[in-house]
Amino acid sequence: MDHAPGYAHNKAAHVARLRRIEGQVRGLQRLVDADTYCIDVLTQVSAAKRALDSFALALLEEHLGHCVAAAIEHGGPEAEDKISEASAAIARLVRS
């Protein structure tokens, strides 16, 4: 890759966000180890999934605004490839 990723200017915030999500997942392990009521564990699973979804959407927005926009500006087959790649990523997020 010859340029920084779209999230480069926000990297520290993304890493901090991922560390919080990692903490949520570790918290799930503790809940299971402590034999916490199933519904309470499921509630925390839902919160962790929402946090990951929110992170993914922020990353996708940066990708579209930086990588895809730059490819479109330059035009040609790279633009079409970036649009297809972004569409596939969106489809994966929607299916998950």
Side-chain angles (χ1 to χ4, degrees):
M1 178 183 296
D2 58 345
H3 56 82
Y7 60 83
H9 70 283
N10 224 1
K11 185 176 178 177
H14 286 315
V15 169
R17 192 174 199 178
L18 287 169
R19 286 188 177 131
R20 283 192 303 275
I21 294 168
E22 181 182 24
Q24 285 180 291
V25 173
R26 279 200 206 109
L28 287 168
Q29 293 170 333
R30 287 190 297 272
L31 291 175
V32 171
D33 283 341
D35 296 323
T36 302
Y37 183 59
C38 300
I39 297 303
D40 295 336
V41 176
L42 289 170
T43 299
Q44 294 307 310
V45 167
S46 178
K49 285 177 63 176
R50 281 192 316 272
L52 273 173
D53 287 344
S54 178
F55 171 75
L57 288 174
L59 202 60
L60 179 61
E61 183 176 344
E62 289 175 336
H63 178 68
L64 292 172
H66 181 265
C67 302
V68 175
I72 290 171
E73 185 177 306
H74 290 101
E78 183 184 355
E80 292 174 20
D81 290 346
K82 289 289 182 191
I83 291 169
S84 294
E85 181 182 69
S87 293
I90 292 167
R92 284 191 302 274
L93 287 172
V94 170
R95 285 192 300 265
S96 65

